[in-house]
Amino acid sequence: DYLVVFLSLLFSSTIKSTSQLETINNNSIIFFALISLVAIFIYFFTKQYKGLTRYLKSKNMYQIIGRNGLVTLLILIIELFLNFRILTFSEIIVFFVILNFNTLILRLILSDLIFIFNKKSKFSKINIAVYGAESLGVEIFETLRYSQKYNLVFFVDEDQNLINRSINNILIISLKKFI
């Protein structure tokens, strides 16, 4: 995360033009390093590292965006009250967007990699079907998704509007076809 924050700051300060690379001085690098360190403390004290990455949900993503908002707000406060101008307002906004994009993409990739590496072979699992392709069936799917024992092959439902559609690439079939 330290590197993600640091590189996001660096990139957002140079995004306007490549000629601005000369304007990045030692003060900018030190400021970026300190902000990155403070960001880690913010993440730690707001319990960003308490959750399990492999169970990342949209609620966690919104929390990450909120934490990144705190980091961005901190930069604004430092620049306004200490009259310490390193980034323009537009660069701070660009930083917020880049930081969120990088942080969320990194978390999603890590979550998927953990899921792939923890998943056992489908051949050693018991194939099952879930009756009902609406909210309860999806809840059962979410529970079984990380199961090391069961492999959900398809959903079974009697609603003609749902037949031959899919939920997370799992086909919904009719009860008649199932039997």
PDB file of all heavy atoms in Angstrom, residues 10-36:
ATOM      1  N   LEU A  10       3.189  10.438  -7.040  1.00  0.00           N
ATOM      2  CA  LEU A  10       4.187  10.784  -8.049  1.00  0.00           C
ATOM      3  C   LEU A  10       3.550  10.929  -9.432  1.00  0.00           C
ATOM      4  O   LEU A  10       3.791  11.908 -10.131  1.00  0.00           O
ATOM      5  CB  LEU A  10       5.285   9.710  -8.072  1.00  0.00           C
ATOM      6  CG  LEU A  10       6.536  10.014  -8.868  1.00  0.00           C
ATOM      7  CD1 LEU A  10       7.248  11.228  -8.295  1.00  0.00           C
ATOM      8  CD2 LEU A  10       7.452   8.809  -8.862  1.00  0.00           C
ATOM      9  N   PHE A  11       2.711   9.980  -9.779  1.00  0.00           N
ATOM     10  CA  PHE A  11       2.072  10.014 -11.093  1.00  0.00           C
ATOM     11  C   PHE A  11       1.118  11.199 -11.222  1.00  0.00           C
ATOM     12  O   PHE A  11       1.088  11.876 -12.247  1.00  0.00           O
ATOM     13  CB  PHE A  11       1.343   8.696 -11.360  1.00  0.00           C
ATOM     14  CG  PHE A  11       0.765   8.604 -12.736  1.00  0.00           C
ATOM     15  CD1 PHE A  11       1.582   8.488 -13.844  1.00  0.00           C
ATOM     16  CD2 PHE A  11      -0.605   8.646 -12.934  1.00  0.00           C
ATOM     17  CE1 PHE A  11       1.053   8.409 -15.126  1.00  0.00           C
ATOM     18  CE2 PHE A  11      -1.151   8.578 -14.206  1.00  0.00           C
ATOM     19  CZ  PHE A  11      -0.310   8.464 -15.299  1.00  0.00           C
ATOM     20  N   SER A  12       0.340  11.454 -10.172  1.00  0.00           N
ATOM     21  CA  SER A  12      -0.624  12.559 -10.252  1.00  0.00           C
ATOM     22  C   SER A  12       0.075  13.912 -10.327  1.00  0.00           C
ATOM     23  O   SER A  12      -0.467  14.853 -10.894  1.00  0.00           O
ATOM     24  CB  SER A  12      -1.595  12.522  -9.077  1.00  0.00           C
ATOM     25  OG  SER A  12      -0.910  12.736  -7.866  1.00  0.00           O
ATOM     26  N   SER A  13       1.280  14.001  -9.788  1.00  0.00           N
ATOM     27  CA  SER A  13       2.000  15.278  -9.855  1.00  0.00           C
ATOM     28  C   SER A  13       2.670  15.480 -11.205  1.00  0.00           C
ATOM     29  O   SER A  13       3.048  16.597 -11.544  1.00  0.00           O
ATOM     30  CB  SER A  13       3.050  15.364  -8.743  1.00  0.00           C
ATOM     31  OG  SER A  13       4.086  14.434  -8.985  1.00  0.00           O
ATOM     32  N   THR A  14       2.804  14.433 -11.997  1.00  0.00           N
ATOM     33  CA  THR A  14       3.469  14.545 -13.300  1.00  0.00           C
ATOM     34  C   THR A  14       2.537  14.318 -14.471  1.00  0.00           C
ATOM     35  O   THR A  14       2.992  14.316 -15.612  1.00  0.00           O
ATOM     36  CB  THR A  14       4.624  13.528 -13.397  1.00  0.00           C
ATOM     37  OG1 THR A  14       4.093  12.215 -13.251  1.00  0.00           O
ATOM     38  CG2 THR A  14       5.682  13.799 -12.363  1.00  0.00           C
ATOM     39  N   ILE A  15       1.255  14.155 -14.216  1.00  0.00           N
ATOM     40  CA  ILE A  15       0.325  13.766 -15.284  1.00  0.00           C
ATOM     41  C   ILE A  15       0.064  14.898 -16.284  1.00  0.00           C
ATOM     42  O   ILE A  15      -0.246  14.636 -17.435  1.00  0.00           O
ATOM     43  CB  ILE A  15      -0.993  13.222 -14.705  1.00  0.00           C
ATOM     44  CG1 ILE A  15      -1.703  12.396 -15.742  1.00  0.00           C
ATOM     45  CG2 ILE A  15      -1.862  14.341 -14.188  1.00  0.00           C
ATOM     46  CD1 ILE A  15      -2.786  11.523 -15.185  1.00  0.00           C
ATOM     47  N   LYS A  16       0.195  16.138 -15.863  1.00  0.00           N
ATOM     48  CA  LYS A  16      -0.104  17.251 -16.765  1.00  0.00           C
ATOM     49  C   LYS A  16       0.812  17.267 -17.979  1.00  0.00           C
ATOM     50  O   LYS A  16       0.376  17.434 -19.095  1.00  0.00           O
ATOM     51  CB  LYS A  16      -0.014  18.580 -16.029  1.00  0.00           C
ATOM     52  CG  LYS A  16      -1.195  18.845 -15.145  1.00  0.00           C
ATOM     53  CD  LYS A  16      -1.135  20.226 -14.579  1.00  0.00           C
ATOM     54  CE  LYS A  16      -2.354  20.480 -13.720  1.00  0.00           C
ATOM     55  NZ  LYS A  16      -2.297  21.781 -13.075  1.00  0.00           N
ATOM     56  N   SER A  17       2.101  17.123 -17.741  1.00  0.00           N
ATOM     57  CA  SER A  17       3.039  17.061 -18.855  1.00  0.00           C
ATOM     58  C   SER A  17       4.341  16.431 -18.389  1.00  0.00           C
ATOM     59  O   SER A  17       4.671  16.466 -17.208  1.00  0.00           O
ATOM     60  CB  SER A  17       3.317  18.461 -19.419  1.00  0.00           C
ATOM     61  OG  SER A  17       4.082  19.205 -18.496  1.00  0.00           O
ATOM     62  N   THR A  18       5.067  15.891 -19.312  1.00  0.00           N
ATOM     63  CA  THR A  18       6.340  15.263 -18.959  1.00  0.00           C
ATOM     64  C   THR A  18       7.386  16.296 -18.590  1.00  0.00           C
ATOM     65  O   THR A  18       8.370  15.979 -17.937  1.00  0.00           O
ATOM     66  CB  THR A  18       6.852  14.398 -20.123  1.00  0.00           C
ATOM     67  OG1 THR A  18       6.919  15.206 -21.296  1.00  0.00           O
ATOM     68  CG2 THR A  18       5.968  13.204 -20.350  1.00  0.00           C
ATOM     69  N   SER A  19       7.198  17.554 -18.972  1.00  0.00           N
ATOM     70  CA  SER A  19       8.162  18.597 -18.615  1.00  0.00           C
ATOM     71  C   SER A  19       8.132  18.903 -17.116  1.00  0.00           C
ATOM     72  O   SER A  19       9.047  19.525 -16.597  1.00  0.00           O
ATOM     73  CB  SER A  19       7.895  19.870 -19.409  1.00  0.00           C
ATOM     74  OG  SER A  19       6.646  20.416 -19.061  1.00  0.00           O
ATOM     75  N   GLN A  20       7.069  18.468 -16.434  1.00  0.00           N
ATOM     76  CA  GLN A  20       6.985  18.706 -14.993  1.00  0.00           C
ATOM     77  C   GLN A  20       7.875  17.772 -14.201  1.00  0.00           C
ATOM     78  O   GLN A  20       8.027  17.940 -13.005  1.00  0.00           O
ATOM     79  CB  GLN A  20       5.549  18.568 -14.503  1.00  0.00           C
ATOM     80  CG  GLN A  20       4.698  19.766 -14.786  1.00  0.00           C
ATOM     81  CD  GLN A  20       3.415  19.706 -13.989  1.00  0.00           C
ATOM     82  OE1 GLN A  20       2.959  18.642 -13.607  1.00  0.00           O
ATOM     83  NE2 GLN A  20       2.846  20.857 -13.742  1.00  0.00           N
ATOM     84  N   LEU A  21       8.463  16.780 -14.846  1.00  0.00           N
ATOM     85  CA  LEU A  21       9.348  15.872 -14.123  1.00  0.00           C
ATOM     86  C   LEU A  21      10.510  16.627 -13.488  1.00  0.00           C
ATOM     87  O   LEU A  21      10.997  16.247 -12.438  1.00  0.00           O
ATOM     88  CB  LEU A  21       9.871  14.774 -15.053  1.00  0.00           C
ATOM     89  CG  LEU A  21       8.881  13.689 -15.418  1.00  0.00           C
ATOM     90  CD1 LEU A  21       9.481  12.739 -16.446  1.00  0.00           C
ATOM     91  CD2 LEU A  21       8.444  12.917 -14.195  1.00  0.00           C
ATOM     92  N   GLU A  22      10.948  17.713 -14.141  1.00  0.00           N
ATOM     93  CA  GLU A  22      12.045  18.501 -13.581  1.00  0.00           C
ATOM     94  C   GLU A  22      11.618  19.248 -12.324  1.00  0.00           C
ATOM     95  O   GLU A  22      12.449  19.611 -11.507  1.00  0.00           O
ATOM     96  CB  GLU A  22      12.576  19.507 -14.617  1.00  0.00           C
ATOM     97  CG  GLU A  22      13.226  18.857 -15.831  1.00  0.00           C
ATOM     98  CD  GLU A  22      12.232  18.576 -16.945  1.00  0.00           C
ATOM     99  OE1 GLU A  22      11.275  19.338 -17.125  1.00  0.00           O
ATOM    100  OE2 GLU A  22      12.420  17.556 -17.634  1.00  0.00           O
ATOM    101  N   THR A  23      10.301  19.523 -12.180  1.00  0.00           N
ATOM    102  CA  THR A  23       9.830  20.298 -11.031  1.00  0.00           C
ATOM    103  C   THR A  23       9.705  19.453  -9.760  1.00  0.00           C
ATOM    104  O   THR A  23       9.522  19.995  -8.692  1.00  0.00           O
ATOM    105  CB  THR A  23       8.472  20.959 -11.322  1.00  0.00           C
ATOM    106  OG1 THR A  23       7.501  19.934 -11.532  1.00  0.00           O
ATOM    107  CG2 THR A  23       8.551  21.873 -12.522  1.00  0.00           C
ATOM    108  N   ILE A  24       9.818  18.141  -9.904  1.00  0.00           N
ATOM    109  CA  ILE A  24       9.776  17.290  -8.716  1.00  0.00           C
ATOM    110  C   ILE A  24      11.156  17.364  -8.065  1.00  0.00           C
ATOM    111  O   ILE A  24      12.152  16.953  -8.631  1.00  0.00           O
ATOM    112  CB  ILE A  24       9.416  15.838  -9.074  1.00  0.00           C
ATOM    113  CG1 ILE A  24       8.008  15.787  -9.638  1.00  0.00           C
ATOM    114  CG2 ILE A  24       9.544  14.941  -7.859  1.00  0.00           C
ATOM    115  CD1 ILE A  24       7.576  14.432 -10.077  1.00  0.00           C
ATOM    116  N   ASN A  25      11.166  17.911  -6.865  1.00  0.00           N
ATOM    117  CA  ASN A  25      12.434  18.072  -6.166  1.00  0.00           C
ATOM    118  C   ASN A  25      12.469  17.191  -4.929  1.00  0.00           C
ATOM    119  O   ASN A  25      11.551  16.405  -4.686  1.00  0.00           O
ATOM    120  CB  ASN A  25      12.648  19.552  -5.814  1.00  0.00           C
ATOM    121  CG  ASN A  25      11.474  20.111  -5.026  1.00  0.00           C
ATOM    122  OD1 ASN A  25      10.818  19.397  -4.274  1.00  0.00           O
ATOM    123  ND2 ASN A  25      11.211  21.405  -5.203  1.00  0.00           N
ATOM    124  N   ASN A  26      13.515  17.343  -4.163  1.00  0.00           N
ATOM    125  CA  ASN A  26      13.662  16.532  -2.949  1.00  0.00           C
ATOM    126  C   ASN A  26      12.522  16.775  -1.965  1.00  0.00           C
ATOM    127  O   ASN A  26      12.081  15.841  -1.285  1.00  0.00           O
ATOM    128  CB  ASN A  26      15.003  16.825  -2.279  1.00  0.00           C
ATOM    129  CG  ASN A  26      16.154  16.226  -3.053  1.00  0.00           C
ATOM    130  OD1 ASN A  26      15.955  15.329  -3.877  1.00  0.00           O
ATOM    131  ND2 ASN A  26      17.359  16.720  -2.804  1.00  0.00           N
ATOM    132  N   ASN A  27      12.048  18.026  -1.877  1.00  0.00           N
ATOM    133  CA  ASN A  27      10.921  18.323  -0.971  1.00  0.00           C
ATOM    134  C   ASN A  27       9.674  17.545  -1.380  1.00  0.00           C
ATOM    135  O   ASN A  27       8.943  17.040  -0.531  1.00  0.00           O
ATOM    136  CB  ASN A  27      10.619  19.824  -0.954  1.00  0.00           C
ATOM    137  CG  ASN A  27      11.667  20.611  -0.211  1.00  0.00           C
ATOM    138  OD1 ASN A  27      12.419  20.052   0.588  1.00  0.00           O
ATOM    139  ND2 ASN A  27      11.727  21.906  -0.473  1.00  0.00           N
ATOM    140  N   SER A  28       9.434  17.445  -2.694  1.00  0.00           N
ATOM    141  CA  SER A  28       8.276  16.690  -3.182  1.00  0.00           C
ATOM    142  C   SER A  28       8.406  15.221  -2.823  1.00  0.00           C
ATOM    143  O   SER A  28       7.453  14.608  -2.333  1.00  0.00           O
ATOM    144  CB  SER A  28       8.149  16.828  -4.701  1.00  0.00           C
ATOM    145  OG  SER A  28       7.964  18.161  -5.076  1.00  0.00           O
ATOM    146  N   ILE A  29       9.558  14.651  -3.047  1.00  0.00           N
ATOM    147  CA  ILE A  29       9.786  13.228  -2.756  1.00  0.00           C
ATOM    148  C   ILE A  29       9.621  12.961  -1.260  1.00  0.00           C
ATOM    149  O   ILE A  29       8.976  11.988  -0.861  1.00  0.00           O
ATOM    150  CB  ILE A  29      11.188  12.785  -3.247  1.00  0.00           C
ATOM    151  CG1 ILE A  29      11.320  12.968  -4.760  1.00  0.00           C
ATOM    152  CG2 ILE A  29      11.477  11.353  -2.839  1.00  0.00           C
ATOM    153  CD1 ILE A  29      10.368  12.132  -5.584  1.00  0.00           C
ATOM    154  N   ILE A  30      10.172  13.841  -0.423  1.00  0.00           N
ATOM    155  CA  ILE A  30      10.038  13.673   1.031  1.00  0.00           C
ATOM    156  C   ILE A  30       8.574  13.798   1.444  1.00  0.00           C
ATOM    157  O   ILE A  30       8.071  13.003   2.245  1.00  0.00           O
ATOM    158  CB  ILE A  30      10.923  14.703   1.779  1.00  0.00           C
ATOM    159  CG1 ILE A  30      12.398  14.358   1.564  1.00  0.00           C
ATOM    160  CG2 ILE A  30      10.587  14.741   3.267  1.00  0.00           C
ATOM    161  CD1 ILE A  30      13.364  15.434   2.019  1.00  0.00           C
ATOM    162  N   PHE A  31       7.866  14.781   0.873  1.00  0.00           N
ATOM    163  CA  PHE A  31       6.439  14.962   1.165  1.00  0.00           C
ATOM    164  C   PHE A  31       5.654  13.714   0.764  1.00  0.00           C
ATOM    165  O   PHE A  31       4.826  13.215   1.525  1.00  0.00           O
ATOM    166  CB  PHE A  31       5.916  16.206   0.423  1.00  0.00           C
ATOM    167  CG  PHE A  31       4.450  16.456   0.620  1.00  0.00           C
ATOM    168  CD1 PHE A  31       3.957  16.932   1.827  1.00  0.00           C
ATOM    169  CD2 PHE A  31       3.553  16.227  -0.411  1.00  0.00           C
ATOM    170  CE1 PHE A  31       2.611  17.175   2.013  1.00  0.00           C
ATOM    171  CE2 PHE A  31       2.193  16.461  -0.243  1.00  0.00           C
ATOM    172  CZ  PHE A  31       1.725  16.941   0.974  1.00  0.00           C
ATOM    173  N   PHE A  32       5.913  13.191  -0.433  1.00  0.00           N
ATOM    174  CA  PHE A  32       5.223  11.994  -0.909  1.00  0.00           C
ATOM    175  C   PHE A  32       5.519  10.803   0.002  1.00  0.00           C
ATOM    176  O   PHE A  32       4.625  10.006   0.316  1.00  0.00           O
ATOM    177  CB  PHE A  32       5.622  11.656  -2.345  1.00  0.00           C
ATOM    178  CG  PHE A  32       5.212  12.681  -3.371  1.00  0.00           C
ATOM    179  CD1 PHE A  32       5.777  12.667  -4.633  1.00  0.00           C
ATOM    180  CD2 PHE A  32       4.271  13.661  -3.086  1.00  0.00           C
ATOM    181  CE1 PHE A  32       5.405  13.599  -5.597  1.00  0.00           C
ATOM    182  CE2 PHE A  32       3.898  14.604  -4.031  1.00  0.00           C
ATOM    183  CZ  PHE A  32       4.471  14.569  -5.287  1.00  0.00           C
ATOM    184  N   ALA A  33       6.765  10.660   0.431  1.00  0.00           N
ATOM    185  CA  ALA A  33       7.137   9.548   1.311  1.00  0.00           C
ATOM    186  C   ALA A  33       6.431   9.667   2.664  1.00  0.00           C
ATOM    187  O   ALA A  33       5.934   8.664   3.197  1.00  0.00           O
ATOM    188  CB  ALA A  33       8.654   9.517   1.493  1.00  0.00           C
ATOM    189  N   LEU A  34       6.366  10.886   3.205  1.00  0.00           N
ATOM    190  CA  LEU A  34       5.691  11.089   4.498  1.00  0.00           C
ATOM    191  C   LEU A  34       4.193  10.851   4.390  1.00  0.00           C
ATOM    192  O   LEU A  34       3.591  10.220   5.268  1.00  0.00           O
ATOM    193  CB  LEU A  34       5.986  12.482   5.041  1.00  0.00           C
ATOM    194  CG  LEU A  34       7.411  12.710   5.537  1.00  0.00           C
ATOM    195  CD1 LEU A  34       7.629  14.169   5.911  1.00  0.00           C
ATOM    196  CD2 LEU A  34       7.723  11.798   6.720  1.00  0.00           C
ATOM    197  N   ILE A  35       3.582  11.354   3.337  1.00  0.00           N
ATOM    198  CA  ILE A  35       2.139  11.133   3.138  1.00  0.00           C
ATOM    199  C   ILE A  35       1.859   9.643   2.982  1.00  0.00           C
ATOM    200  O   ILE A  35       0.877   9.124   3.530  1.00  0.00           O
ATOM    201  CB  ILE A  35       1.620  11.930   1.919  1.00  0.00           C
ATOM    202  CG1 ILE A  35       1.595  13.424   2.225  1.00  0.00           C
ATOM    203  CG2 ILE A  35       0.246  11.450   1.482  1.00  0.00           C
ATOM    204  CD1 ILE A  35       0.635  13.835   3.330  1.00  0.00           C
ATOM    205  N   SER A  36       2.719   8.942   2.269  1.00  0.00           N
ATOM    206  CA  SER A  36       2.539   7.494   2.086  1.00  0.00           C
ATOM    207  C   SER A  36       2.629   6.773   3.421  1.00  0.00           C
ATOM    208  O   SER A  36       1.853   5.849   3.691  1.00  0.00           O
ATOM    209  CB  SER A  36       3.592   6.950   1.115  1.00  0.00           C
ATOM    210  OG  SER A  36       3.474   7.571  -0.137  1.00  0.00           O
TER     211      SER A  36
END
